[in-house]
Amino acid sequence: MHYSQPAFYQSYTCPLILCCSSDPPSDRHDQLYHCDFCMSNVKEPWNKGLTGTVKSINLPLEYRKKFTSVLYCRGVLFFSYVEVKDQVEKHKFFVYYISAATFVRLPSRPTVTNESKLAFGFGFHPRTNEYKVVRIVEQEQPMGLEQEQLVGLEQHIEVFTPGKQAMWMINRKNPFLLRMQHYAASFNGALHWLGQDKQNGSTIIVSFDLESEEFQQIPTPDNCDKSGLDRQDCHVVVLGGCLCVVDYDEFDRIDIWSMKIYGAKESWIKEYTVEPLDGLRAPIRPLCLLPNRNILIEFQYLHECFYVYSVDSMAVYKIRIRDLRDLPPRHSFRAVSVVGDI
């Protein structure tokens, strides 16, 4: 978003929702913030780093938890957390409609075992005007009767529509194996993940239509490094109004491929390349495109994790977040989403 001002001084704001957790983990609840990074498109816009101002998103006491997942879509936040009562663990959920300042609890589910993995997706379909939560539980399953047989993976897909259903619905029509990542790319009324074709084992892009609740395969770029897509760091994101793939090569160079026409294989282009950065080897998550071929990125697993990368100069600049100085030491941040309507 930008204000219409003379070309020599245009300012931009990049709104983020941040989740702050203690590190190492403690009993302290997570805290949410709404952060605006303000920037200017002068010739050297990043040479002094960026600054951001924040305000707290204060949840009512009963909703302040240590969250296992926080997702955002079109003005609504989805939360999951684990609650122990009478020595029984339950996985609990709620959604927060920001503009109306209302909360809706979802039916709880049993927690998964240590051998299982759990992932969520949260999206909106414009035709049905409905939000949906997708819960993926992955478990190891023996592939044969004998003890020496290999162990395979099996995924259970559960879907819930807030405000419509009274229980989670089981979806048994997934012909693919989804990659268990912390977030799915919500775009064009569908959720998107990297996944695996169960027939030939190849890495593919999988979509889940939030109206029909059916899985489909989205074509991958012809010229991207298919072996690179097998790395766990690779993922699908939405940038500049396009579905994108973040692809690593063997030299830790990162290519960002954009699908200019959704569903059209021939419309994939390699739009950005992020060269390896000295001292910053953590996996990255591109958050949004900025003026002058700059990208706001999040370095996962780092305490000070938000940077701007200049594609043309191959330079990176740290973002300094103001108004967070009173926090206890050793708190880490992660981006829930880039938003424009909070």
Side-chain angles (χ1 to χ4, degrees):
M1 298 183 296
H2 68 90
Y3 301 99
S4 297
Q5 298 181 10
F8 63 85
Y9 186 76
Q10 286 186 343
S11 62
Y12 295 78
T13 60
C14 182
L16 288 173
I17 291 182
L18 307 179
C19 185
C20 174
S21 301
S22 59
D23 191 14
S26 69
D27 293 334
R28 181 183 173 86
H29 65 81
D30 291 345
Q31 176 64 51
L32 296 182
Y33 297 93
H34 177 231
C35 178
D36 275 308
F37 296 119
C38 298
M39 52 207 80
S40 167
N41 72 340
V42 294
K43 283 187 177 180
E44 298 293 337
W46 324 115
N47 59 351
K48 295 182 180 179
L50 299 180
T51 58
T53 56
V54 300
K55 62 181 180 181
S56 299
I57 301 176
N58 293 316
L59 301 178
L61 186 60
E62 62 182 303
Y63 293 102
R64 297 177 189 175
K65 307 291 181 181
K66 292 289 294 183
F67 300 118
T68 56
S69 182
V70 184
L71 303 175
Y72 172 88
C73 180
R74 291 174 61 98
V76 181
L77 283 161
F78 164 79
F79 299 86
S80 72
Y81 62 97
V82 174
E83 185 174 88
V84 180
K85 188 175 182 179
D86 297 329
Q87 297 184 337
V88 177
E89 284 189 351
K90 283 191 175 181
H91 210 167
K92 295 204 167 185
F93 322 94
F94 64 91
V95 293
Y96 174 40
Y97 295 86
I98 297 173
S99 60
T102 58
F103 296 81
V104 175
R105 289 194 179 273
L106 281 57
S108 61
R109 299 292 294 152
T111 55
V112 298
T113 63
N114 292 334
E115 293 76 24
S116 302
K117 294 181 179 179
L118 190 63
F120 289 93
F122 182 51
F124 175 84
H125 199 288
R127 203 181 76 80
T128 61
N129 201 35
E130 292 177 338
Y131 294 88
K132 290 192 178 181
V133 182
V134 176
R135 181 177 185 256
I136 310 161
V137 181
E138 181 179 273
Q139 297 174 313
E140 293 183 346
Q141 297 288 341
M143 298 176 63
L145 297 177
E146 299 182 11
Q147 294 183 355
E148 300 299 325
Q149 287 285 349
L150 296 176
V151 173
L153 296 175
E154 182 175 313
Q155 291 180 342
H156 300 278
I157 312 297
E158 303 174 357
V159 183
F160 189 85
T161 307
K164 182 178 179 180
Q165 298 171 196
M167 59 185 296
W168 291 82
M169 306 301 293
I170 308 298
N171 184 297
R172 304 185 184 280
K173 300 177 291 184
N174 179 19
F176 310 110
L177 194 65
L178 306 180
R179 187 169 293 181
M180 302 295 286
Q181 294 182 318
H182 295 300
Y183 47 85
S186 179
F187 185 72
N188 202 42
L191 298 174
H192 302 80
W193 302 263
L194 285 179
Q196 187 178 34
D197 189 316
K198 291 181 180 179
Q199 300 299 319
N200 57 29
S202 61
T203 300
I204 58 175
I205 300 174
V206 180
S207 72
F208 179 76
D209 189 282
L210 294 171
E211 180 181 17
S212 65
E213 297 189 3
E214 294 181 351
F215 288 92
Q216 294 181 337
Q217 181 175 343
I218 301 294
T220 54
D222 272 336
N223 297 321
C224 79
D225 185 355
K226 295 299 192 296
S227 62
L229 289 180
D230 293 336
R231 290 181 48 163
Q232 286 298 314
D233 299 337
C234 298
H235 54 278
V236 184
V237 297
V238 178
L239 286 175
C242 295
L243 189 70
C244 299
V245 170
V246 180
D247 174 33
Y248 290 73
D249 69 12
E250 59 182 318
F251 303 107
D252 284 334
R253 183 183 296 110
I254 302 165
D255 292 326
I256 300 177
W257 294 78
S258 298
M259 189 180 233
K260 293 303 182 180
I261 303 174
Y262 182 72
K265 184 179 181 67
E266 65 276 7
S267 72
W268 282 107
I269 64 169
K270 184 165 68 172
E271 192 158 14
Y272 302 100
T273 295
V274 179
E275 297 293 337
L277 304 171
D278 292 336
L280 294 171
R281 295 294 181 180
I284 75 162
R285 178 188 175 193
L287 296 175
C288 69
L289 303 181
L290 302 175
N292 302 329
R293 289 173 55 80
N294 294 281
I295 307 173
L296 178 64
I297 58 178
E298 175 185 34
F299 280 86
Q300 301 180 53
Y301 317 126
L302 296 182
H303 294 290
E304 297 178 332
C305 56
F306 298 108
Y307 292 78
V308 168
Y309 178 78
S310 172
V311 176
D312 294 330
S313 66
M314 295 184 294
V316 64
Y317 302 96
K318 184 187 299 184
I319 291 178
R320 296 187 295 270
I321 303 179
R322 294 197 303 251
D323 302 333
L324 293 180
R325 300 169 185 166
D326 296 332
L327 287 175
R330 296 195 62 79
H331 273 65
S332 61
F333 291 88
R334 66 183 186 274
V336 174
S337 181
V338 178
V339 301
D341 55 356
I342 182 171

